[in-house]
Amino acid sequence: MIAEGRRRAYQALIRVERDGAFLNAALQEALAGAGVDERDRALATEIAYGTLRRQITLDRLLSPLVRRPMSKLDPEVRVILRMGAYQMTWLNRVPAYAAANDAVELAKRHRPQAAALVNAVLRRYAERAQDWEDLLNKAVAGAKDVERWSVMYSVPAWIVERLVADHGADRVLAALASMNEPAPMSLRANRLRGSREEAIARLGAEGAVARPAALAEDGLRVQGQVDVTRLQAYRDGHVTIQDEGAMLVAPLLRPEPGMRVVDLCAAPGGKTTHVAELMGDRGEIDAYDVTVAKVRAIRQQAERLGLQSVHPRLGDGRQVTPEGLYDAALVDAPCTGLGVMRRRPDLRYRRRPEDVAQLAQLQRALLRRACAIVRSGGCVVYSTCTLLKEENESVVRDVASDPSVGVRIEDIGGDLAPTLAVSVGERSPGFLLWPDWHETDGFFMARLRRI
């Protein structure tokens, strides 16, 4: 009998591999319904996310044991082999025989003709799994640096090359290593429902252990793997799931009660609702996004948190034409997402080199529009969850250097936590959070002031 956690992980991973589904949605679907206890849920999550994070590495380790290229195998077989090898290599608590046996049973169920192949490959792999680092070093011996790093850190070579060109090998490789580890669970306390300490107490009453976060005033860090959405504290709007790095963006607007704010790319609503909470839910926040589903997600977040000042609106941020100018604007721009690869490991395989220039063009258009609809003296905050300079510093500098836009870049060092020990100013037009340094997702943020 196949362990329930492995069966559910396979259901999610085959949807990603065969159908191009997003992992988070595929896993939610696989874990839906009754009959999945917390242990199975945790195992399925670990296997699904870990296997996808390490996919390039796993394929290189498995390749010598398979006569055909991994890309030529049936999707079901690729997924089953990767899952088995991942467990043998990175999950020490899982016996190799259990991973191999379940892999064979999965093959019998989904690709019976390949069961013997799966059995032979994984039995041979189990004999060498403890020496995987030596095997991998041999597999990439003689390869150029970028190819070697791509295989070692399981990130497509073009991404490694772009990041290293921007930031240097030492800085990037440390970050890539950290993004192959599970991300910490961060929550934002809703100050309109109570203090951060009260939120911690509410979570504790439901068995979730949390502590104050280091960088964000309203942030919490939760210990272990907890499905926060099933807790009453979440359902009642006392907390919101949000990375601690993302919590630093909304305060850069310096929100105050009565302000009129626009968010041009608001879904799913995390930063929008944070602005509303910082304003005491007194004022007006127009929250735009481009699909009905995204607008619905913003509305649901606002309703769960009990917010009245958020007005979800359907529309392209580049075309927003308000009746009057805003006090402040937020552009949390669509981007390659290379700073959130540990939470969304499938992004690294979805992105293509040509995406960068296309997104940068969109980002500049959104930022220009935001600057045009803010009053003199008002501010515009620009943020992304990528590490590429072309989407970050270059966008901000391009827009700010155009005299017709009429903005200047502000130093945001004084708005960030003292522990960040940062002063931006001349060195950079913004600030970049690194997953390994700051234990957050990779976020860029900058502020421009309308002249």
Side-chain angles (χ1 to χ4, degrees), residues 214-235:
L215 305 179
E217 185 178 354
D218 296 319
L220 311 171
R221 289 289 178 100
V222 179
Q223 295 181 14
Q225 295 294 322
V226 180
D227 185 355
V228 174
T229 62
R230 302 171 72 185
L231 302 180
Q232 200 61 44
Y234 174 84
R235 294 173 180 171

Side-chain angles (χ1 to χ4, degrees), residues 127-158:
E127 298 171 359
R128 55 200 298 186
Q130 297 305 311
D131 300 320
W132 70 271
E133 290 180 285
D134 289 338
L135 292 171
L136 196 58
N137 284 327
K138 292 176 182 177
V140 297
K144 292 182 179 180
D145 284 345
V146 168
E147 181 187 352
R148 188 172 73 255
W149 294 332
S150 170
V151 174
M152 297 294 290
Y153 297 100
S154 195
V155 176
W158 77 267

Side-chain angles (χ1 to χ4, degrees), residues 88 229 270 275 316 380:
M88 293 176 186
T229 62
V275 173
D316 186 331
V380 176

Side-chain angles (χ1 to χ4, degrees), residues 53-69:
R53 286 189 188 108
R54 306 279 184 174
Q55 181 171 297
I56 294 175
T57 306
L58 289 166
D59 283 0
R60 186 63 67 96
L61 288 169
L62 287 164
S63 289
L65 306 178
V66 184
R67 291 181 180 178
R68 297 162 61 193

